[in-house]
Amino acid sequence: MPSVAAATVRPVRRVAGRVRLAGDKSISHRYALVASLATGRSTIGSYSSGADCAATLDCLRRLGVDVTSSRAEDGTLRVEIAGRGLRGFQFPGAEPSKALDAQNSGTTMRLLTGVLAAQPFMTRIKGDVSLSRRPMTRVTEPLEHMGAVIASNNGYPPLVIHGSSRIHGITYKTPVPSAQIKSAILLAGIQADGTTTVVESVQTRNHTELALRAFGAVVSTEGARVALTGGQQLQGGHFVVPGDISSSAFWAAAAAALPGSDVEIENVGLNPTRTALLDVLRRAGAVVDIQVEHEAGGEPSGRVRIRHGRRGALSLGADEVPLLIDEIPALAAWATHGNELRVTGAVELRVKESDRISALVRGLQALGADVDEFSDGFHVRGARKLKGGQADAVGDHRLAMAFAIAALGAQGPSMIAGADSVAISYPEFFATLEQLCG
Ligand code: S3P
C-alpha cells in the first residue's frame, strides 16, 4: 500500500467515551478459512472490517468457495460461507495472472499456504510490496516436511504451492514463537494423514486451535504443545467474532497516557493469549477494569475500562514480546506521554508490515521523541513533551495509529503520512479518534 493520504492530529488533554469495535482480525481469518474447509453453511457475524480479512475472502472465492458478505442492521459485517469440505477447493488456474492476491496480509498468505499444501493442485499466491519482503521459509519448510512442494522467491513471496492430497503429519518445534507458523501447520495437519504436533517455546495466540474445535475437531493442547489428527470432519455453524483487542490497544494506550481519560471498550475479545497489553498497562500504573461477559467458540469477550493512574516505566524482553507483538507500537506511543518503554528481544518486529523497529523509531523521532534504536528493540524516554511534526507510517497500519496516539500529547498539530493504511485492520480508527477526543 503506498503511503499517500495524510491525516492531521491535534493535541488533546484527555480521551473519553465508549468504543465498539469490529471483529478481531486474527479470528476472522480463521473462521473464514475453517468454514471453507467444513461441510455445511456457516455464518460469521461481526467479521473484521479490515482489508486484510477481505483479502482472505477474495482468495477463498478464487478457490471456488461461495462467500457472500453483507451489512447487518447494526452495521457490522456478516459473512456467509458454503463449506467445501476437506480438500474441496477448486484449481484457480496455473498462469501467473491467476495468482491469488494476499495483498498486505501475512496471515492470509501464511495460513492459506497451510490450507493449500493439502489441496492436490498448484496455486500461486502473491502479495503487495510490503508482503513481498516478508519471510515465508518459516511456513514453507514445515509444510515441505509434510509432503508439499513450495517454490518461492528465495524464501519470499510470491509462492507457488504444489499441494498434495497425501501429506502426512509431523512433529515440529517452531523456530520463532509465531501463531502464523503454528496455524499454517495445523491447517495442513487437519487434512493430513496421521497426527500433527506443534511445539512452541512460548504459547502464541491460540485462535486456530479454538476455531478448529468450534467447528467440531478434537485438538489436544498441553501448555505450548498442540496436537491433532488429520481427516477429522469439520461442521459449519453460526459464529460471532469478538471485537479486536489489538485495535483497542490504541485507545487503551491513549487512556492510560492522558490524565483525566476514561475509555470503555465494549464487546472486546479477552482471550488470555491476547490480553498481555492490559496486564502491562496495569503494571505501569493505569487503572484497568476487565469484565468477561460472554464466551463462544472458546473465545471469551467482554468490557474493559481504562483510566490514567500514574506515569510508569516498562521494560519488556523476549519472554513477553511474543504475547504483545502487535501492541508494541501502541505501547511506544503511550511511552512518549511522560512514560518510559524499553523493548528488547523483539527482532520479529523487523519483519512485520514494515521494519517496525526502524520505522517506529524514525516516526517518533520526527514528532520530537527521545528514542534509541537497538538491533532487537528500542528505548523511548518520554520525559520530553513532543513538539509535533510529520511522521511517515510507511504504509504500516499499526504505525499510523501509534503515531496518531503519540501526537495527542504534542505541543502542536502533527501530520501522519500513510494514514490511509489504517484500512488494513481498523478503517474506523480516525472516526473513533474524533469521537473520543470531542
Ligand atoms: C497473527 C500472528 C502474529 C501477528 C499478526 C497476526 C495471526 O504474527 O503479528 O498480526 O493472526 O496469527 P506472527 O505469527 O508472525 O508472530
Side-chain angles (χ1 to χ4, degrees):
M1 163 167 298
S3 45
V4 276
T8 302
V9 177
R10 289 173 213 291
V12 292
R13 305 218 1 210
R14 62 196 279 267
V15 286
R18 280 202 177 156
V19 181
R20 224 184 147 76
L21 301 156
D24 184 83
K25 178 161 90 68
S26 291
I27 300 174
S28 295
H29 285 298
R30 285 151 172 89
Y31 281 177
L33 292 169
V34 179
S36 303
L37 292 172
T39 48
R41 293 191 81 81
S42 292
T43 58
I44 309 171
S46 280
Y47 192 81
S48 164
S49 53
D52 270 14
C53 292
T56 289
L57 297 182
D58 285 345
C59 291
L60 290 170
R61 287 189 184 101
R62 293 283 321 284
L63 291 161
V65 183
D66 179 11
V67 180
T68 51
S69 54
S70 57
R71 289 275 167 197
E73 265 173 31
D74 61 0
T76 57
L77 206 58
R78 185 186 135 99
V79 172
E80 269 193 64
I81 292 183
R84 297 189 63 96
L86 295 183
R87 306 206 186 105
F89 289 179
Q90 277 170 10
F91 174 52
E95 309 81 62
S97 63
K98 303 273 179 174
L100 307 186
D101 191 352
Q103 301 174 29
N104 192 245
S105 175
T107 313
T108 304
M109 183 170 286
R110 295 197 178 114
L111 271 57
L112 251 185
T113 300
V115 171
L116 292 168
Q119 304 284 325
F121 49 73
M122 187 200 93
T123 322
R124 292 175 194 271
I125 183 160
K126 65 178 181 181
D128 69 5
V129 174
S130 148
L131 184 52
S132 301
R133 287 194 210 110
R134 299 183 65 186
M136 293 296 145
T137 311
R138 52 181 61 196
V139 290
T140 58
E141 196 177 271
L143 295 171
E144 292 206 301
H145 287 319
M146 297 177 84
V149 175
I150 306 175
S152 68
N153 179 18
N154 284 320
Y156 294 86
L159 302 180
V160 181
I161 305 155
H162 298 268
S164 159
S165 53
R166 297 180 50 202
I167 64 163
H168 53 84
I170 53 168
T171 295
Y172 193 75
K173 194 170 178 323
T174 55
V176 283
S178 158
Q180 293 181 357
I181 303 179
K182 171 175 65 176
S183 301
I185 298 169
L186 293 176
L187 290 169
I190 194 74
Q191 307 174 79
D193 288 335
T195 301
T196 295
T197 305
V198 182
V199 184
E200 299 187 285
S201 59
V202 179
Q203 189 197 11
T204 60
R205 63 191 72 188
N206 63 352
H207 305 302
T208 302
E209 299 87 305
L210 294 176
L212 287 167
R213 272 194 201 133
F215 281 79
V218 176
V219 180
S220 61
T221 49
E222 203 192 312
R225 185 185 183 93
V226 192
L228 54 75
T229 307
Q232 300 184 60
Q233 289 308 310
L234 302 163
Q235 185 59 49
H238 302 290
F239 302 89
V240 178
V241 183
D244 195 320
I245 191 167
S246 296
S247 298
S248 83
F250 297 97
W251 314 130
L258 294 162
S261 293
D262 188 349
V263 171
E264 190 160 283
I265 300 154
E266 297 175 342
N267 180 42
V268 62
L270 291 171
N271 179 317
T273 62
R274 297 286 298 283
T275 52
L277 170 90
L278 301 174
D279 301 335
V280 300
L281 283 178
R282 194 183 267 154
R283 190 161 98 208
V287 183
V288 182
D289 301 310
I290 304 173
Q291 240 177 295
V292 176
E293 296 174 325
H294 189 68
E295 202 206 280
E299 296 283 358
S301 60
R303 186 178 293 276
V304 176
R305 182 179 178 198
I306 300 122
R307 285 167 289 166
H308 171 83
R310 57 174 163 80
R311 301 205 189 284
L314 282 172
S315 183
L316 304 173
D319 53 332
E320 286 187 290
V321 162
L323 303 172
L324 283 162
I325 193 76
D326 291 340
E327 286 71 61
I328 286 172
L331 278 173
W334 163 84
T336 63
H337 294 259
N339 302 299
E340 188 174 350
L341 174 66
R342 191 184 161 85
V343 174
T344 55
V347 77
E348 271 294 298
L349 287 176
R350 293 205 183 269
V351 290
K352 292 294 179 188
E353 286 83 328
S354 67
D355 175 343
R356 272 192 189 153
I357 295 179
S358 112
L360 180 69
V361 168
R362 269 185 283 123
L364 292 179
Q365 282 171 341
L367 298 178
D370 181 7
V371 192
D372 285 334
E373 179 174 348
F374 315 135
S375 60
D376 66 342
F378 59 87
H379 187 185
V380 182
R381 284 170 297 266
R384 180 166 93 202
K385 195 170 171 70
L386 301 187
K387 284 196 180 64
Q390 290 193 16
D392 188 353
V394 301
D396 182 330
H397 56 130
R398 296 204 200 279
L399 294 189
M401 296 187 273
F403 295 154
I405 300 303
L408 296 178
Q411 287 162 18
S414 299
M415 215 266 290
I416 295 151
D420 54 348
S421 59
V422 302
I424 290 297
S425 63
Y426 195 5
E428 306 83 8
F429 176 81
F430 282 104
T432 305
L433 180 66
E434 230 178 280
Q435 174 208 321
L436 293 177
C437 292

